Amino acid sequence: MSTRYMREREKWTSDGILYANEGLWRTTTQLPLATTTLDTELHQGTTSSIFLTVGSTKKNKGTNTTTDHEGAYHPPINRFRRWVRADGSTEFQPMRGRYHVYASLGCPWSHAVLITRKLKGLENSITVSIVDWEDGSHGYKFMDARSRCSLDEVNGCGSLMDVYKLANPEYKYKATVPLLWDKKFRTAVSNDAYDIVHMLNNEFNALTTNPIAEIDSNEGVDQSQELMELVKAINTGPYQCGLSISQSAYELSYKELFANLDSLDALLETRKFIKGDRLSDNDIMLFPTLIRFDTIYYDQFKCNKKMIIDYKNIWNYTKRLYHTYHLEDTVDWDHIKGHFASSYPLINPAKVRPVGPAIEFN
């Protein structure tokens, strides 16, 4: 757990924000009807950083961002946290054609899920809908006018919020991607990217067409949990920089983001991947952030101390992932630039898309 989280845990609890420990929250319900209440049980597994707002955060008008009274950004809470289990312990068992992923090619968390689906050879088992790249004031829409975008052929919805309301008609929070959908019960299983990656990696092995794609899991290993916390901090860091609305919150996020990148670069001095010699969940979750950093986060999100290409080990690691696993077809720069130009009016109200930079990944 990062120093900041430990510091904020004590401070924010007293200020009206309840902090939930990473790795301990799982919904207990196994019923087809989705729930937006956070009925939870303690369960060790894939980690997730959750801030449960009790009243000290506010939605910034005209944006999709939430900040606390000190101007620090907090990501949306993932309110669907159920599990597909191959052992039959839940209502959701892996089955060819039963599940569907709603995703955005611009969103880094969606990107990680799509990479896992590709590497595990699940393209013919789990279908996908790609939303329009703009996450506007009314959320994501379905359309097929743009390249690689699609209509909702599973539920026939016009927007992602309509899909969420199918799962729970009283849903009133942000409709986020990725979303793992169960066609059998017509309900949401999970909208937590870390959980979905974990499920695709561990629970669908009987359906994979690429059995050699063995991806290490982070489950049950203390060191893996610590490494995942580093990955999560780096993934969230650019948003905490770019979407903070106070100078002090921005500078704290900026300092910690680059301290974490320095730690990652030192770690990769002696490792091929984050955990060692084998690809893991950590690498898949981190790659989308690294590939976006120099093009999007460095300038647009004010993360401008160093670029990823300035980190020798991180840059070599990013290129290694890009080429070794042929991830180039998962990186769509039109969608990435379009998403970030159109979805963050606090940063880019004119929605102007950057032309460069021209970065060579060879």
Side-chain angles (χ1 to χ4, degrees), residues 83-110:
W83 287 83
V84 176
R85 293 294 192 196
D87 62 8
S89 61
T90 73
E91 292 294 319
F92 306 102
Q93 289 96 44
M95 198 176 297
R96 190 179 305 278
R98 176 174 173 175
Y99 297 97
H100 187 76
V101 170
Y102 291 98
S104 163
L105 297 180
C107 165
W109 284 276
S110 287

Side-chain angles (χ1 to χ4, degrees), residues 105-327:
L105 297 180
C107 165
W109 284 276
S110 287
H111 192 177
V113 170
L114 295 176
I115 288 173
T116 308
R117 175 177 173 264
K118 167 188 167 71
L119 294 183
K120 295 294 288 189
L122 293 170
E123 293 98 329
N124 294 325
S125 296
I126 300 174
T127 53
V128 168
S129 291
I130 302 299
V131 297
D132 181 39
W133 62 49
E134 180 174 357
D135 182 13
S137 57
H138 298 290
Y140 289 106
K141 304 292 184 183
F142 297 103
M143 52 96 79
D144 57 2
R146 274 198 247 270
S147 173
R148 300 184 75 177
C149 292
S150 55
L151 300 176
D152 179 14
E153 296 182 356
V154 172
N155 291 304
C157 292
S159 71
L160 189 63
M161 180 58 77
D162 293 338
V163 177
Y164 271 70
K165 286 185 176 294
L166 281 179
N168 188 326
E170 298 181 0
Y171 188 82
K172 60 183 179 180
Y173 308 99
K174 180 172 172 55
T176 60
V177 287
L179 175 67
L180 182 63
W181 182 264
D182 178 15
K183 299 176 189 177
K184 178 180 178 180
F185 289 133
R186 296 195 73 203
T187 193
V189 179
S190 178
N191 66 339
D192 185 283
Y194 295 92
D195 290 355
I196 299 172
V197 165
H198 184 83
M199 283 185 270
L200 267 56
N201 184 29
N202 293 279
E203 307 298 337
F204 287 83
N205 288 331
L207 304 179
T208 183
T209 60
N210 188 16
I212 64 170
E214 296 180 359
I215 304 169
D216 274 359
S217 170
N218 293 297
E219 196 167 55
V221 181
D222 290 342
Q223 184 190 37
S224 295
Q225 299 295 330
E226 294 176 3
L227 293 173
M228 180 58 92
E229 296 309 323
L230 175 63
V231 169
K232 287 188 173 189
I234 293 173
N235 286 344
T236 307
Y239 295 86
Q240 291 175 323
C241 290
L243 300 177
S244 292
I245 58 171
S246 75
Q247 188 67 32
S248 60
Y250 161 67
E251 290 185 9
L252 177 60
S253 297
Y254 180 95
K255 178 180 179 181
E256 294 189 349
L257 170 61
F258 285 98
N260 287 324
L261 286 171
D262 289 342
S263 296
L264 177 64
D265 197 60
L267 181 75
L268 293 171
E269 178 70 36
T270 57
R271 299 187 183 190
K272 183 177 180 181
F273 300 109
I274 290 179
K275 285 180 64 177
D277 292 330
R278 294 185 60 183
L279 185 74
S280 72
D281 291 358
N282 294 311
D283 304 295
I284 293 174
M285 291 305 307
L286 186 57
F287 175 80
T289 292
L290 300 180
I291 206 75
R292 285 162 174 76
F293 198 96
D294 293 359
T295 300
I296 303 295
Y297 302 141
Y298 179 87
D299 183 33
Q300 191 168 327
F301 281 48
K302 300 182 286 292
C303 304
N304 54 8
K305 181 180 180 180
K306 293 173 72 173
M307 301 177 82
I308 294 302
I309 60 174
D310 297 323
Y311 285 99
K312 173 188 171 184
N313 299 318
I314 299 178
W315 178 229
N316 287 334
Y317 163 77
T318 303
K319 291 187 292 182
R320 185 180 307 119
L321 291 172
Y322 185 87
H323 291 291
T324 303
Y325 298 99
H326 306 288
L327 299 184

